[in-house]
Amino acid sequence: MKKYVSTEMNPEIKLKINGLTYKLRVTPEKTLIDVLRDQLGLIGTKKGCNEGNGGAWTVLIDGLPMCSCLLLAVGLQNNEITTIEGSKMDEDIQIIQKAFVEVGAIQCGFCSPGMILSTKGLLDKNPNPSVYEIKEAFSGNICRCTGYKKIIKAIQTASFQINEKKSL
Amino acid sequence: MSKFQYVGKRVPFKGSYEKAQGKALFGADVRIPGMLQACVLRSPYPHARVKSIDISKALKLPGVITIATPWNTPTTKFGIVKNDEQFLTDEAKYIGDEIVAIAAVERDIACKAVELVDVDYELLDSVYDPIEALNCNSPLVHSDFTSNLCHHVEIERGDIFTGFNDADANLEKTFKLPFQYQAYLEPQTATAMWSDNSLTIWAPGQSAKHLSDWFSSAYLLPKDNFRFIQTCVGGAFGGKNYMRVVPIVSVLAKMADAPVQFVLDREEDFLTSQPRVPMTINIKMGITRNGIITAKETNIIADNGAYAFLAPGVLEVASVRVDTLYRFKNIKTKASLVYTNKLAAGGMRGFGNPQSHFAVEVMIDLLANELNIDPSEIRLKNAAQVGDENIHGYRLASCELQSTIELAKIKSRWEENRTKSKKRGNKKYGIGMASSVHVSGSVMACPEGDGSSVMVQILENGRIIVFTGEGELGQGAKSVIAQIVAEELCVSYDQVSVEDLDTNIIQGGAGAQGSRVTVYAGNSAILASKDAVLKLKESAADIWNCNVKDVIFRNAKLINVITESELDFSTVSKHYIHMTGGSRVIGQGMFSAKNVEIANEIRYGNISMSYPFATQVAEVFVDVNTGKVEILRIIAVLDVGQIINLDAFEGQVEGGIAQGLGYALFEDFIFDKGTLLNPNFTDYNVLTIKDVPEIKIYTTDSIDPYGPFGAKSVGELALVSTAAAIANAVYNATGKEIVGLPIDPFEILK
Ligand code: FES
């Protein structure tokens, strides 16, 4: 096998993902999704395009839903990154996951991690979104399987359950 | 109260927790130590001969392991219906055709290496229009074939001449139907690994059987040496039947002697998914004053693009299936599938059926207008009925088409809404209807006869693992199978798990295509459960030292009818392991549909286990200034037999309608000669959450005698008539005939 250039020449960066700090070397043009999937093995974030269309590749950056295929990893050293694997530490996300499963909003499931994190982002900002507000917030999240009806229902169910938990 | 414990209920989908948590493994999540990544050099020309390929610079790039070209890979021609494709080609037939494939330690390196390859092409004449391509002096897409005609269908039943003579009104129209991209979110992906002479493929493929048939013929590999392991599938909709990534990873993995993965980027996926076949359909229909259809004559020209794949089957479906909707007596159909220098079209959800349904269902409304009667009356008068054997020999053992029409009228307040005034400020209101028929599996998918195998294993403590040859696309197949097994064995749904498809464990079935999984795997799961019960009885008889026939199975208990003593499920399954010296209770289910005839040359005979029917009503607003169509509501009434999983059923209908709306309103490929101009989700519009209208779903009571618990199929049926219902609603609103898709606002304004 021919000699293969290692990444040692690349700058070392620190990324805070799901509460853990990772030290790693990346080439400056590496997008967050490639670092997550290929270097850190966090394959819960799905990849389906390279232009930020679709939303399945959504992660939370400081709590805001963003497309991991558009962000360069080197630029995120001062941010908190949450991926779907971070749901273990977040009770709200677990409630959202359960709502998606229980109302049948997951068919192939490729859009689901992105949908679930986008829901978390929306409900943090707006705990009681109307259907109109849900539609506005999710206009960039494609789901080809469900026709969205059950996704809207899942978001509403999660919103209700999270609010109920908070009022206890 | 329902008589079932699980059948017809809402239960969470198997595997959906893992999907929600990001733990489910899709095609690109497969990781094997030492695995390489692939990238492909695609032809920038629609038709060109490769004169030379210089790979020297690419080979020098560190990290590049192997480079496959048309000259160091097998040159066998292979295919499903036509042997017209190769591993890599030295004569590009469309923009995107695969010329060179490279495996490297990282994808970025493989892609960089592709840029370093120099190919010298000799440009050849191209043809893009199928009608031009039929011209005898047109350039040949495949120079080794004598013409561009890929497949041809000609069928005549009854007497078309008399049929038109008996008509009081005749109408002839030409319809143009576009491409439609499957647009699943997970791009096509495959991972290959060889050991000795055996190949393992991990991929989100739809059909184990077809993948192995197709691929074994390509590699001259015995089928037994081909192992397919299905990963989670991130949507398929017909596009993951024959994935070109499979031959490419296989050949690279062989050459590199290492596992190789190939994940398409979105643009590549647009070029190779084999989207819905575009068709021009000329149709003439005759009708009596009373609304009885007397004749139908159809001419179809379908644009295949560069390679046949499944498109000949699509043409067959487009030629005949809609004839099961009404009691047609005299029909004549000619259909041609034509090669052009464009990307290959093939199977997408509906498989030729939405195209011909659009033509027929729009024609019904135009004829109704000629006769000045309500189009629903024509549908009701001509509708197929239970017990019918139609002109092609299809037998309808269940059919509630008329009830779907009647219920759709009631639920949409049809009479009132059809007649009320159209104008609403700047908008015009319209309401339209279209009906549809599909199959539950078809001999077209398996000409040698279809079947399915399911294996049920009962573990020591009563947990149940089910193996199926059909796989799961995300539509809920595993859940449906688990519900059926739980129902049959009277155990809890949570106790049953369904394994991923692996052809080293079970014979691969034809898979999730032709709307066949629920009926085939479902029937097979019933048989497998019954077989497992037999073994449980043997075990109980052994414990009691009695005759097996004195043991019955009821409510998950084994009962000795003589002594009236009982044993529970887990005691008996544990005993079976001791009794046999280590085997679990294994129930085998093998099902083949006895009421289906094998495909024959005259295309006559029953092709499917059952036929599901539906009627959809669309209510729309059309903006009189912009021509924009806004969908208010879709009402769908389905005759699909017994529903097994209510959430999966609704999910299929809602998702199907969403795709049908896209087909009606905005999905299409835009070409400049051979170049696809919109191969991305920015320029190719799929339905977003903002575009979904209200969807109301109803069912008619029906039980099919052949389906598991009386079930028929639903997945493809759901979208077959959506576009036609919308076109008819726009016609009702504006009086403009809609003869092409996607509906063009400028045409409405004209
Ligand atoms: S569930 Fe398949 S894309 Fe949303």
Side-chain angles (χ1 to χ4, degrees):
Chain A
M1 191 182 283
K2 259 168 284 123
K3 212 175 121 238
Y4 158 59
V5 185
S6 79
T7 50
E8 259 151 54
M9 334 258 293
N10 297 325
E12 185 176 272
I13 62 164
K14 275 188 200 164
L15 291 178
K16 243 179 127 185
I17 304 168
N18 303 330
L20 295 173
T21 305
Y22 293 83
K23 255 203 241 170
L24 67 164
R25 292 182 185 278
V26 300
T27 50
E29 73 280 0
K30 275 265 185 239
T31 53
L32 176 61
I33 190 158
D34 287 340
V35 170
L36 290 173
R37 292 185 51 87
D38 299 340
Q39 280 180 260
L40 302 176
L42 295 171
I43 46 112
T45 309
K46 301 301 169 201
K47 189 173 178 182
C49 78
N50 343 58
E51 332 92 27
N53 290 308
W57 12 104
T58 298
V59 296
L60 298 179
I61 306 292
D62 299 328
L64 296 176
M66 292 197 182
C67 253
S68 59
C69 58
L70 292 179
L71 300 166
L72 295 181
V74 287
L76 296 166
Q77 300 202 60
N78 301 320
N79 306 80
E80 295 269 355
I81 302 163
T82 308
T83 70
I84 196 70
E85 287 86 354
S87 62
K88 288 187 216 80
M89 276 97 63
D90 190 312
E91 222 183 300
D92 286 0
I93 301 183
Q94 289 164 15
I95 293 174
I96 300 167
Q97 285 168 330
K98 206 162 158 271
F100 269 74
V101 171
E102 279 172 2
V103 310
I106 298 179
Q107 284 188 31
C108 83
F110 205 76
C111 70
S112 310
M115 288 283 179
I116 286 163
L117 290 176
S118 300
T119 306
K120 165 75 177 156
L122 170 66
L123 297 183
D124 277 351
K125 253 194 344 202
N126 179 356
N128 277 311
S130 65
V131 171
Y132 176 80
E133 287 166 330
I134 291 173
K135 288 188 173 184
E136 286 297 314
F138 279 74
S139 61
N141 290 65
I142 298 174
C143 173
R144 188 61 157 171
C145 299
T146 63
Y148 304 101
K149 267 187 80 176
K150 288 185 191 291
I151 288 182
I152 296 173
K153 194 168 159 205
I155 298 167
Q156 289 172 318
T157 308
S159 141
F160 176 79
Q161 288 173 349
I162 290 172
N163 292 340
E164 200 158 71
K165 180 198 82 185
K166 294 208 166 121
S167 68
L168 284 180
Chain B
M1 262 284 287
S2 153
K3 54 183 188 286
F4 300 122
Q5 183 84 18
Y6 291 108
V7 164
K9 299 290 157 62
R10 293 180 197 279
V11 289
F13 282 17
K14 293 288 177 196
S16 55
Y17 264 109
E18 290 75 11
K19 289 172 178 173
Q21 291 166 333
K23 288 180 188 158
L25 299 180
F26 290 86
D29 301 332
V30 172
R31 301 292 144 106
I32 302 169
M35 183 176 83
L36 307 172
Q37 293 288 342
C39 190
V40 158
L41 184 147
R42 296 180 183 279
S43 169
Y45 302 111
H47 200 187
R49 189 165 301 125
V50 176
K51 292 200 323 206
S52 66
I53 301 174
D54 180 358
I55 57 171
S56 55
K57 275 183 270 168
L59 264 177
K60 286 195 195 109
L61 189 71
V64 170
I65 306 298
T66 199
I67 301 184
T69 71
W71 296 306
N72 64 7
T73 48
T75 51
T76 345
K77 290 221 166 182
F78 57 96
I80 304 141
V81 183
K82 286 280 224 186
N83 290 335
D84 61 3
E85 51 177 320
Q86 285 174 293
F87 283 84
L88 294 163
T89 182
D90 62 359
E91 192 187 308
K93 294 168 188 74
Y94 75 99
I95 295 177
D97 216 346
E98 295 125 347
I99 315 281
V100 174
I102 299 181
V105 294
E106 277 181 22
R107 186 181 156 87
D108 289 356
I109 296 173
C111 295
K112 239 174 242 157
V114 161
E115 286 168 25
L116 296 175
V117 174
D118 278 322
V119 182
D120 193 13
Y121 297 94
E122 175 196 340
L123 301 194
L124 305 171
D125 288 339
S126 320
V127 59
Y128 310 109
D129 179 72
I131 294 173
E132 269 171 45
L134 283 177
N135 217 313
C136 53
N137 47 22
S138 153
L140 284 175
V141 176
H142 292 266
S143 51
D144 48 341
F145 294 168
T146 51
S147 92
N148 288 321
L149 183 65
C150 173
H151 190 69
H152 188 68
V153 178
E154 242 181 280
I155 301 178
E156 201 172 338
R157 311 261 192 230
D159 181 353
I160 193 79
F161 185 76
T162 320
F164 280 118
N165 258 347
D166 292 346
D168 296 312
N170 288 329
L171 201 62
E172 183 178 346
K173 294 280 166 194
T174 300
F175 297 87
K176 279 194 182 324
L177 287 315
F179 283 95
Q180 186 180 24
Y181 174 49
Q182 292 88 353
Y184 36 68
L185 282 200
E186 179 202 32
Q188 300 208 0
T189 300
T191 308
M193 188 166 77
W194 288 87
S195 64
D196 296 331
N197 197 27
S198 292
L199 171 67
T200 303
I201 292 283
W202 289 261
Q206 287 181 242
S207 167
K209 179 182 184 297
H210 288 187
L211 209 53
S212 90
D213 287 358
W214 172 61
F215 194 69
S216 308
S217 78
Y219 235 126
L220 304 174
L221 188 73
K223 278 186 205 168
D224 292 354
N225 293 20
F226 177 84
R227 177 182 186 186
F228 169 64
I229 301 177
Q230 189 186 44
T231 63
C232 276
V233 182
F237 317 118
K240 289 176 179 166
N241 262 310
Y242 299 98
M243 300 192 290
R244 281 291 303 169
V245 286
V246 172
I248 289 173
V249 280
S250 319
V251 84
L252 285 171
K254 183 101 187 173
M255 289 169 72
D257 197 16
V260 176
Q261 182 170 80
F262 187 20
V263 184
L264 292 190
D265 69 26
R266 187 53 67 180
E267 180 168 346
E268 290 180 293
D269 199 275
F270 267 89
L271 297 175
T272 59
S273 77
Q274 303 155 35
R276 193 182 304 291
V277 180
M279 293 183 189
T280 301
I281 303 180
N282 174 275
I283 186 166
K284 185 177 166 195
M285 281 167 78
I287 195 162
T288 66
R289 209 169 292 116
N290 306 328
I292 303 293
I293 301 165
T294 57
K296 172 169 82 74
E297 185 171 0
T298 315
N299 273 291
I300 303 176
I301 302 281
D303 184 354
N304 189 175
Y307 295 102
F309 294 110
L310 283 167
V314 171
L315 192 78
E316 294 275 345
V317 170
S319 302
V320 296
R321 191 160 298 166
V322 69
D323 298 345
T324 314
L325 195 55
Y326 300 119
R327 290 176 152 175
F328 292 110
K329 298 234 164 38
N330 310 297
I331 62 117
K332 186 175 174 186
T333 302
K334 273 191 195 171
S336 301
L337 177 71
V338 189
Y339 285 123
T340 59
N341 291 109
K342 298 211 292 279
L343 57 87
M348 187 194 164
R349 194 176 193 173
F351 210 79
N353 210 16
Q355 290 94 318
S356 47
H357 266 78
F358 187 81
V360 168
E361 285 300 281
V362 170
M363 282 297 279
I364 297 278
D365 278 42
L366 300 180
L367 286 166
N369 184 56
E370 292 276 307
L371 300 177
N372 202 15
I373 57 176
D374 187 313
S376 69
E377 287 310 307
I378 298 185
R379 292 191 171 87
L380 280 169
K381 278 190 176 153
N382 294 278
Q385 291 177 34
V386 64
D388 281 4
E389 176 165 331
N390 84 352
I391 39 166
H392 302 300
Y394 302 2
R395 292 187 297 270
L396 308 183
S398 64
C399 170
E400 294 294 326
L401 175 58
Q402 285 180 324
S403 325
T404 68
I405 298 167
E406 272 153 7
L407 191 58
K409 286 178 75 172
I410 295 168
K411 295 296 176 185
S412 65
R413 295 196 293 170
W414 177 262
E415 317 284 349
E416 181 188 335
N417 284 330
R418 277 293 278 196
T419 46
K420 77 181 178 191
S421 106
K422 301 287 162 213
K423 237 169 132 47
R424 302 276 192 296
N426 277 344
K427 293 174 180 172
K428 279 184 178 165
Y429 168 89
I431 179 169
M433 170 188 289
S435 298
S436 58
V437 60
H438 204 66
V439 290
S440 310
S442 146
V443 284
M444 285 185 186
C446 277
E448 72 278 26
D450 201 352
S452 186
S453 119
V454 167
M455 177 166 64
V456 168
Q457 292 197 5
I458 305 177
L459 276 53
E460 278 181 70
N461 295 321
R463 203 188 128 206
I464 292 158
I465 304 181
V466 183
F467 299 87
T468 148
E470 308 301 347
E472 159 80 62
L473 296 190
Q475 81 282 45
K478 281 184 176 178
S479 315
V480 162
I481 293 168
Q483 282 172 277
I484 289 175
V485 170
E487 190 73 49
E488 280 290 318
L489 294 179
C490 320
V491 296
S492 95
Y493 173 73
D494 294 336
Q495 222 170 312
V496 184
S497 56
V498 182
E499 288 303 294
D500 292 336
L501 167 60
D502 177 344
T503 57
N504 265 17
I505 295 175
I506 192 157
Q507 178 66 24
Q513 53 163 334
S515 294
R516 58 181 289 292
V517 171
T518 296
V519 292
Y520 275 87
N523 273 327
S524 189
I526 293 176
L527 296 175
S529 307
K530 291 201 191 306
D531 191 38
V533 167
L534 267 180
K535 307 230 161 97
L536 290 171
K537 285 182 181 171
E538 280 171 26
S539 174
D542 192 60
I543 293 173
W544 284 318
N545 205 2
C546 70
N547 203 316
V548 177
K549 68 178 187 347
D550 294 332
V551 182
I552 59 164
F553 179 76
R554 191 191 301 142
N555 292 332
K557 292 222 164 22
L558 282 301
I559 299 163
N560 185 327
V561 288
I562 313 274
T563 63
E564 288 184 12
S565 44
E566 286 184 5
L567 284 167
D568 68 23
F569 202 82
S570 57
T571 311
V572 179
S573 40
K574 195 177 284 167
H575 179 78
Y576 190 85
I577 297 174
H578 299 308
M579 178 181 107
T580 55
S583 170
R584 292 168 178 164
V585 170
I586 299 178
Q588 298 275 6
M590 288 79 69
F591 174 79
S592 69
K594 302 283 180 297
N595 66 332
V596 173
E597 265 120 21
I598 306 298
N600 55 31
E601 246 149 52
I602 53 165
R603 299 179 175 89
Y604 192 89
N606 192 37
I607 60 148
S608 179
M609 199 190 308
S610 62
Y611 302 84
F613 292 86
T615 297
Q616 294 188 6
V617 171
E619 290 179 74
V620 304
F621 276 140
V622 182
D623 189 307
V624 292
N625 298 319
T626 63
K628 204 176 160 261
V629 178
E630 178 192 332
I631 316 288
L632 272 178
R633 192 175 299 114
I634 302 281
I635 288 155
V637 184
L638 300 100
D639 157 25
V640 292
Q642 169 68 48
I643 289 161
I644 307 284
N645 183 316
L646 208 45
D647 276 328
F649 162 73
E650 288 167 359
Q652 286 301 300
V653 178
E654 287 159 8
I657 288 173
Q659 290 177 2
L661 289 171
Y663 188 48
L665 297 182
F666 34 66
E667 294 188 39
D668 193 5
F669 280 5
I670 302 162
F671 277 98
D672 177 18
K673 303 220 168 99
T675 309
L676 176 62
L677 298 177
N678 57 339
N680 55 64
F681 283 140
T682 314
D683 302 314
Y684 183 93
N685 296 317
V686 299
L687 202 86
T688 72
I689 200 166
K690 281 178 140 178
D691 308 311
V692 262
E694 185 184 341
I695 297 173
K696 293 242 180 240
I697 304 171
Y698 304 93
T699 52
T700 57
D701 280 334
S702 77
I703 293 294
D704 184 78
Y706 298 103
F709 297 95
K712 300 198 268 189
S713 78
V714 63
E716 297 182 270
L717 176 75
L719 68 57
V720 171
S721 62
T722 308
I726 291 167
N728 287 339
V730 172
Y731 178 54
N732 177 245
T734 62
K736 294 279 179 194
E737 295 176 6
I738 305 295
V739 292
L741 293 178
I743 295 171
D744 184 352
F746 294 109
E747 287 292 320
I748 296 178
L749 290 181
K750 263 189 205 163

